[in-house]
Amino acid sequence: MKTHDRAKAAPEIGHASERLIEDRRVKDKTKTQAGTAVCERCQAVGMHKHWFVDNALYESMAGNPLVRMVVCPGCKRIEKKVYEGEVLLDSPLLAENREMVYGTLYHAAAKAFLRNPLSRVALIEEEGEQIRIVTTTCTLAERLGKAIQKAFKGKLKIKPSKDEKFVFVKWQRREN
Ligand SMILES: [Zn+2]
């Protein structure tokens, strides 16, 4: 993810995360850093078993010997192919508005990642008039489907699996 995109999405979540980080940093710096980890792949920061994205904080911690370099739970999900969502987009509009479609998907995914670094797009496939997206969380699959429906109208179906933690999201627009 590009830095400027994170910065753009940051104000929407800035309030809560900023407050938490500032409080912990100021009041309990040494203890916090000893238990802190950063992800070597996506640069997410983990504190007290909670992962979030904060560029400034990452920069301030890089190279600190008290901070562990690890692979965060979100990156592990992608590596181990732990998927919780599938989105199928189906419409001739997709090819006609490629830039807007991918812009919408990217924006929704970036926002979801900032809120919860476990939320990742693991796979995107295009075939004919369809785009198939596999995600690491249910919420992300739902967000992607809703974002596309908001931008392009059409029909959205969200079907959670009965047997496992998995959601199937289908968006379709077929009218002429
Ligand atoms: Zn990571």
Side-chain angles (χ1 to χ4, degrees), residues 38-44 51 70-76 113 117 120:
V38 293
C39 177
E40 58 193 29
R41 294 188 190 165
C42 71
Q43 307 192 343
W51 287 86
V70 298
V71 176
C72 79
C75 291
K76 272 187 194 151
F113 175 65
R120 305 294 180 81

Side-chain angles (χ1 to χ4, degrees), residues 49 52 58 61-62 79 94 121 132 152 165 176:
K49 293 182 180 172
F52 53 90
Y58 174 82
M61 288 179 168
E79 190 177 275
L94 297 173
V121 169
R132 184 176 158 259
F152 295 96
K165 199 177 179 197
N176 296 318

